Amino acid sequence: MSDRKRDTGIIYMILGIYSLLVSWYYNHSIILLIICWIFWPIYLLYEVLSGHLSHGMWKTIPLSYFK
């Protein structure tokens, strides 16, 4: 496997996990978490366009899990 392909795979996985963190932060629902895992690129785009990740929330949400 080439280094470039491995790097994009890692970024893809990290963005998928990030979308799960965002979904759990706003919904607290296992069913929606599973749906978000299946359609995470669409869900992450929706969260960005709807403004849920604006004003520093993109950074606050992951940090809230480590407090």
Side-chain angles (χ1 to χ4, degrees):
M1 182 183 278
S2 69
D3 288 334
R4 182 170 171 86
K5 194 169 200 171
R6 182 174 40 224
D7 291 342
T8 57
I10 291 171
I11 292 171
Y12 190 81
M13 182 185 69
I14 289 172
L15 285 174
I17 292 170
Y18 182 75
S19 70
L20 293 178
L21 294 174
V22 171
S23 175
W24 187 256
Y25 183 83
Y26 284 118
N27 301 316
H28 292 290
S29 170
I30 298 293
I31 294 171
L32 289 176
L33 194 70
I34 293 169
I35 292 171
C36 175
W37 176 250
I38 295 169
F39 300 108
W40 76 261
I42 296 168
Y43 178 76
L44 200 57
L45 183 63
Y46 165 76
E47 290 295 326
V48 168
L49 294 177
S50 67
H52 287 152
L53 297 177
S54 62
H55 304 295
M57 287 304 289
W58 67 271
K59 182 172 43 174
T60 304
I61 292 171
L63 291 177
S64 70
Y65 291 102
F66 298 106
K67 288 185 179 179

